[in-house]
Amino acid sequence: MSAEIREKVMDLLKDVLAEDGGEIGDIGPDEDLSAFGINSMTFIRLVLALEMEFGVSWGDDDLQYENFLTLNNIIRYVEATASAV
């Protein structure tokens, strides 16, 4: 797992949460992000930020909230999609 991708995803997640007045400190890679205030609007902003940052796009089947519940889930998808482009 790329440390660079992990760092960028964390930065994007922090930025998106900060827009809602939330923040994220230390988080485990498999910790449920909903505990940190991720809601449907935050989810949409996160998806858009990830698309812009990594040049990836999400298929309709992939845009399931459950696929974005952990940092590792997001990173794995970004890595798989970015390498396929």
Side-chain angles (χ1 to χ4, degrees):
M1 189 171 297
S2 166
E4 181 181 346
I5 291 177
R6 184 184 194 292
E7 184 177 327
K8 285 183 180 181
V9 170
M10 276 298 294
D11 288 344
L12 291 171
L13 184 57
K14 287 177 183 179
D15 290 346
V16 167
L17 283 172
E19 291 176 20
D20 287 340
E23 66 178 64
I24 192 168
D26 292 330
I27 181 170
D30 293 308
E31 201 166 340
D32 186 342
L33 295 177
S34 64
F36 294 92
I38 299 287
N39 58 37
S40 58
M41 292 304 293
T42 311
F43 167 71
I44 291 168
R45 286 197 307 276
L46 178 60
V47 168
L48 293 173
L50 291 164
E51 287 181 343
M52 290 174 50
E53 177 69 30
F54 296 105
V56 297
S57 60
W58 315 93
D60 290 342
D61 292 338
D62 298 321
L63 285 174
Q64 304 286 329
Y65 183 70
E66 296 80 27
N67 292 340
F68 293 82
L69 282 181
T70 70
L71 190 56
N72 273 343
N73 285 0
I74 295 168
I75 292 167
R76 277 192 289 272
Y77 188 83
V78 167
E79 287 179 331
T81 305
S83 66
V85 173

